[in-house]
């Protein structure tokens, strides 16, 4: 039998339909968009340290109060992650990311006219913070859907956007401040972040339809074939606009549809409905936000890992320039240290993606090793006392940070944590839990600095959080395989029990009853 499968050409605003995860295709465009989004979100956040001294002088505020700007921004970004998941599932990733880009740019532009640090809390902290959430999380989620075998490598390479941004933005903003001042420099950054809106327009949704849905069934019963040929026209076509696939059958391959058309009038509707409705059933089944991931002990441990590890993500990049200035290092050389950290992070992300792309390999264990080594890097900063010592620590920290920062969210898609099916909801809940550490991390470091009058003490709180994160990360795999194995079996049995009543078993009982009655009647005769 012959079959023609015609792919409907879709405009840029329509979904991409594949029979399996493409591991490429339009996914490369999405990867480029994620690269730019990373540069204009986390890249700007990590480069914000170049404004610290200017803000302290302009507003006459302490270091800890200025650090609350980034703390509130990171908190809002991560705390509203479930909202980002809900909006993405409801309105699509493209629209949400574009709206996020507008919010980020608006907050930064207004912040350039701020007169008090409280104005900064509202503009950068709340408005831009919400925009960061709506921009980053949907982009990394849809990128993971476009790749399977290459997911770790592609995500790691695309996430280097923030590293290149820090490498280029830190010296560029420093030079720009010398020419036009920090306010116009901040205004320029806000205008540049409008590029996130353009990147959001490239995020086409993706639909994965199983091969069986477009494949003709083999002929089974000749009686049904005969019946259908007598009662149906010689040509039947089934077309689905939603799925983007058209299947055309001719008299030579009509037997392939024998099971679906045993009647004269209803078969056409019955034959069309399964194909046309293939794209609609998932809508009611997909929850806007699935909190069932909170019942998985492996995910709980992984979420606590993210909570404590976040303490060490932002503070080093924020305090590396003030630390270098306190050690007598010039402004230009301080910017070079931050840029070197960013370049090292690029290599760390690529290296982690390359290693995690190897098979067979247990990715969660590789992540654990990287977290332990990252803790060592944080403990090394207080021992640096001059330029080259600080440069060495920054390069080592940047490399190890890249191995962790570029992979900890994509690892949610692995079966050791929650899997690709529940990644969207899991990412929202995971980042939400991270928000509390993002809020507390920089202020805790700022309090330590104000108390000890030593910027190196800020790195101790980061190192302590990273060590606790390593402990919880080490528990993820045991929880998945051992501690919660029985609960998973119970859930599988419950789901099987729920599905059983849907089977049409009643007519079997009726037939058995009739057979028994007829048997008794024959016996009495």
């Amino acid at each position: 039998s012959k079959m023609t499968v015609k792919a409907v050409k879709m405009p840029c605003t329509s979904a991409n339909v594949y029979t399996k995860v493409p591991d490429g295709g339009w996914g490369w465009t999405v990867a480029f968009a994620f690269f730019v989004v990373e540069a204009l979100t986390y890249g700007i956040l990590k480069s914000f340290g170049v404004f610290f001294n200017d803000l302290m002088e302009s507003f006459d505020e302490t270091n800890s109060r200025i650090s609350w700007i980034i703390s509130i921004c990171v908190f809002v970004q991560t705390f509203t992650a479930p909202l980002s998941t809900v909006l993405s599932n409801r309105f699509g990733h493209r629209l949400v990311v574009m709206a996020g880009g507008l919010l980020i740019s608006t907050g930064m532009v207004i912040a350039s006219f701020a007169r008090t640090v409280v104005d900064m809390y509202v503009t950068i902290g709340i408005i831009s913070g919400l925009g960061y959430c709506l921009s980053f999380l949907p982009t990394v989620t849809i990128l993971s859907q476009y790749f399977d075998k290459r997911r770790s490598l592609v995500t790691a390479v695309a996430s280097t956007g923030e590293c290149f941004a820090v490498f280029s933005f830190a010296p560029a903003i420093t030079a720009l401040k010398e020419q036009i001042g920090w306010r116009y420099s901040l205004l320029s950054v806000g205008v540049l972040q409008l590029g996130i809106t353009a990147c959001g327009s490239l995020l086409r949704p993706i639909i994965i339809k199983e091969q069986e849905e477009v494949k003709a069934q083999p002929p089974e019963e000749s009686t049904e074939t005969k019946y259908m040929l007598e009662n149906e026209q010689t040509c039947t076509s089934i077309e689905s606009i939603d799925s983007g696939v058209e299947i055309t059958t001719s008299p030579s391959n009509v037997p392939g549809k024998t099971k679906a058309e045993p009647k004269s009038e209803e078969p056409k509707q019955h034959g069309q409905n399964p194909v046309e409705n293939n794209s609609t059933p998932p809508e009611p089944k997909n929850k806007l936000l699935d909190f069932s991931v909170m019942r998985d002990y492996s995910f709980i441990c992984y979420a606590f890992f993210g909570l404590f590890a976040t303490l060490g993500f932002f503070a080093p990049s924020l305090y590396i320039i003030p630390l270098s200035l306190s050690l007598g290092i010039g402004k230009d050389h301080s910017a070079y240290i931050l840029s070197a950290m960013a370049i090292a992070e690029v290599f760390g992300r690529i290296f982690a993606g390359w290693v995690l792309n190897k098979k067979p390999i247990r990715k969660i264990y590789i992540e654990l090793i990287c977290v332990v080594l990252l803790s060592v890097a944080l403990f090394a900063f207080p021992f640096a006392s001059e330029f080259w010592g600080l440069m060495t620590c920054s390069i080592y920290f940047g490399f190890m940070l890249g191995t962790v920062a570029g992979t900890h969210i994509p690892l949610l898609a692995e079966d050791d944590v929650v899997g690709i099916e529940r990644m969207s909801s899991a990412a929202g809940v995971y980042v939400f839990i991270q928000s509390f550490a993002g809020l507390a991390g920089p202020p805790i470091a700022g309090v330590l600095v104000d108390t000890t009058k030593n910027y190196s003490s800020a790195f101790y709180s980061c190192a302590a959080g990273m060590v606790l994160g390593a402990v919880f990360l080490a528990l993820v795999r045991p929880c998945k395989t051992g501690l919660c194995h029985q609960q998973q079996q119970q859930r599988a049995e419950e789901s099987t029990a729920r599905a059983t009543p849907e089977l049409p078993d009643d007519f079997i009982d009726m037939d058995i009853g009739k057979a028994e009655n007829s048997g008794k009647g024959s016996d009495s005769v």
Side-chain angles (χ1 to χ4, degrees):
S1 63
K2 297 180 179 179
M3 165 180 285
T4 58
V5 178
K6 185 170 70 175
V8 178
K9 293 183 178 179
M10 297 187 175
C12 186
T13 57
S14 302
N16 286 332
V17 181
Y18 298 94
T19 57
K20 63 178 182 178
V21 179
D23 256 335
W26 190 258
W28 298 116
T29 304
V30 177
F32 172 77
F34 180 56
F35 178 89
V36 179
V37 169
E38 275 270 355
L40 298 179
T41 54
Y42 281 104
I44 296 297
L45 284 177
K46 289 188 176 182
S47 303
F48 197 78
V50 300
F51 292 106
F52 259 49
N53 291 335
D54 299 293
L55 297 178
M56 290 173 63
E57 294 176 1
S58 297
F59 299 141
D60 192 21
E61 295 287 354
T62 62
N63 192 286
S64 59
R65 283 180 60 85
I66 296 298
S67 66
W68 273 102
I69 298 173
I70 295 300
S71 298
I72 295 174
C73 180
V74 174
F75 174 76
V76 172
Q77 175 193 359
T78 51
F79 186 82
T80 56
L83 174 64
S84 174
T85 299
V86 171
L87 293 178
S88 298
N89 291 336
R90 177 64 181 86
F91 300 105
H93 298 80
R94 177 190 291 112
L95 189 61
V96 173
V97 173
M98 294 176 69
L102 290 176
L103 284 175
I104 294 173
S105 180
T106 301
M108 281 292 186
V109 170
I110 298 176
S112 64
F113 300 97
R115 295 303 172 186
T116 64
V117 70
V118 177
D119 296 338
M120 287 281 190
Y121 293 163
V122 176
T123 54
I124 296 180
I126 297 177
I127 299 177
S128 293
L130 179 60
Y132 285 127
C133 175
L134 298 182
S135 300
F136 172 76
L137 197 57
T139 310
V140 69
T141 301
I142 195 172
L143 177 62
S144 298
Q145 296 173 2
Y146 270 95
F147 291 90
D148 182 16
K149 297 178 181 179
R150 302 173 179 172
R151 183 186 301 135
S152 298
L153 180 60
V154 172
T155 306
V157 174
S159 66
T160 59
E162 70 175 82
C163 310
F164 285 105
V166 175
F167 172 75
S168 57
F169 287 166
I173 295 175
T174 301
L176 192 62
K177 286 192 307 176
E178 300 294 333
Q179 301 296 325
I180 61 177
W182 71 267
R183 289 187 180 274
Y184 287 107
S185 299
L186 195 62
L187 176 64
S188 302
V189 170
V191 173
L192 181 64
Q193 288 178 311
L194 275 176
I196 296 175
T197 304
C199 293
S201 64
L202 299 176
L203 304 182
R204 289 187 190 175
I206 179 173
I207 299 175
I208 305 297
K209 303 184 74 64
E210 298 296 333
Q211 187 72 28
E212 288 76 13
E213 295 179 6
V214 297
K215 184 171 63 175
Q217 300 176 358
E220 295 187 6
E221 298 182 10
S222 58
T223 56
E224 290 183 357
T225 304
K226 257 180 157 183
Y227 184 86
M228 187 200 59
L229 289 174
E230 291 173 359
N231 291 277
E232 297 297 330
Q233 300 296 329
T234 57
C235 182
T236 302
S237 66
I238 301 174
E239 183 174 358
S240 171
I241 299 176
D242 294 336
S243 64
V245 178
E246 180 178 306
I247 306 173
T248 304
T249 56
S250 59
S252 61
N253 61 3
V254 166
K257 292 202 54 60
T258 55
K259 275 194 163 182
E261 305 178 6
K263 296 183 181 179
S264 58
E265 287 299 328
E266 297 179 2
K268 292 182 181 179
Q269 299 175 355
H270 180 69
Q272 290 177 354
N273 286 341
V275 179
E276 292 180 356
N277 292 338
N278 275 340
S279 59
T280 54
E283 293 181 0
K285 291 182 180 179
N286 287 338
K287 299 180 181 179
L288 293 180
L289 186 62
D290 186 7
F291 278 101
S292 66
V293 294
M294 294 298 294
R295 295 198 297 264
D296 289 346
Y297 291 151
S298 58
F299 173 76
I300 293 175
C301 290
Y302 197 82
F304 275 109
F305 150 69
L307 174 69
F308 290 108
T310 303
L311 292 174
F313 282 170
F314 287 96
S317 59
L318 290 177
Y319 284 100
I320 188 65
I321 290 182
L323 174 61
S324 61
L325 293 176
S326 67
L327 294 176
I329 301 173
K331 292 183 179 180
D332 294 338
H333 288 78
S334 300
Y336 293 150
I337 293 175
L338 186 60
S339 299
M341 180 189 296
I343 289 297
E345 188 175 344
V346 171
F347 289 101
R349 289 172 182 263
I350 296 175
F351 175 78
W354 176 75
V355 172
L356 294 179
N357 201 51
K358 297 292 183 180
K359 290 187 177 181
I361 193 172
R362 185 65 64 184
K363 299 180 180 180
I364 201 74
Y365 293 151
I366 301 298
E367 186 82 353
L368 177 59
I369 296 173
C370 295
V371 171
V372 172
L373 295 177
L374 181 58
S375 303
V376 175
L378 289 169
F379 277 115
F381 272 101
F383 297 97
S385 58
E386 42 85 28
F387 174 77
W388 288 110
L390 201 58
M391 177 68 81
T392 303
C393 292
S394 298
I395 293 175
Y396 176 52
F397 170 79
F399 183 86
M400 298 315 306
L401 178 64
T403 61
V404 177
T407 56
H408 69 110
I409 291 181
L411 275 182
L412 290 168
E414 300 299 324
D415 293 334
D416 282 339
V417 189
V418 296
I420 188 63
E421 295 81 7
R422 295 189 294 169
M423 182 193 174
S424 180
S425 295
V429 177
Y430 173 75
V431 177
F432 167 78
I433 294 174
Q434 280 186 298
S435 64
F436 300 100
L439 178 67
I444 290 176
V447 169
L448 289 175
V449 170
D450 292 336
T451 302
T452 61
K453 307 300 180 182
N454 188 355
Y455 283 101
S456 62
S457 60
F459 294 86
Y460 286 119
S461 62
C462 303
M466 196 63 65
V467 170
L468 288 175
V471 173
F472 282 101
L473 183 61
L475 297 175
V476 172
R477 178 64 181 168
C479 286
K480 194 69 173 181
T481 57
L483 298 179
C484 63
H485 185 63
Q486 296 179 351
Q487 290 189 359
Q488 290 177 349
Q489 286 183 341
Q490 291 177 359
R491 288 176 202 160
E493 293 175 358
E494 290 176 2
S495 61
T496 305
R498 291 173 187 169
T500 303
E502 298 177 1
L503 297 176
D505 293 333
D506 296 340
F507 77 93
I508 298 178
D509 298 335
M510 294 174 60
D511 290 343
I512 294 175
K514 289 180 181 180
E516 291 178 353
N517 292 334
S518 61
K520 291 180 181 178
S522 61
D523 292 342
S524 61
V525 172

